[in-house]
Amino acid sequence: VAAGRLTLNGGPCGAETVFRHGDRLVHEVVRTEPSVPAAPIGLLLEADDLLVLHKPAGVPVHHAGRYRRNTLVEILPHERPDLNL
């Protein structure tokens, strides 16, 4: 409430706000994600059923903890759309 991320019917609300039937309460969530190294992901070997990659240290492989977009699973399709992942 103190951070101002709660709104009631589009306006600010506080701890003393009284709710009525039909009110719309919204909680805005701001998510920030730690940055990862900007080095490109290297493709060392491509076979029909195998990719061998050079992944920079510090880049998580999959979603975990605070990482959702800055992961190998999310970065690779954007860097290499030709792989059709």
Side-chain angles (χ1 to χ4, degrees):
V1 174
R5 291 188 302 226
L6 284 177
T7 59
L8 181 66
N9 301 323
C13 67
E16 302 299 323
T17 302
V18 176
F19 299 98
R20 292 181 174 73
H21 180 73
D23 281 348
R24 180 180 169 97
L25 180 66
V26 175
H27 178 244
E28 179 184 338
V29 177
V30 178
R31 297 188 191 272
T32 57
E33 191 166 325
S35 61
V36 296
I41 296 168
L43 180 61
L44 302 177
L45 174 72
E46 179 181 0
D48 289 339
D49 57 352
L50 177 70
L51 289 176
V52 178
L53 304 170
H54 181 285
K55 179 188 77 68
V59 176
V61 174
H62 55 80
H63 303 168
R66 294 177 17 189
Y67 291 95
R68 295 284 180 244
R69 293 188 180 97
N70 292 336
T71 65
L72 181 67
V73 170
E74 296 295 326
I75 296 170
L76 193 58
H78 293 285
E79 282 192 9
R80 297 294 308 267
D82 56 303
L83 295 175
N84 297 317
L85 300 175

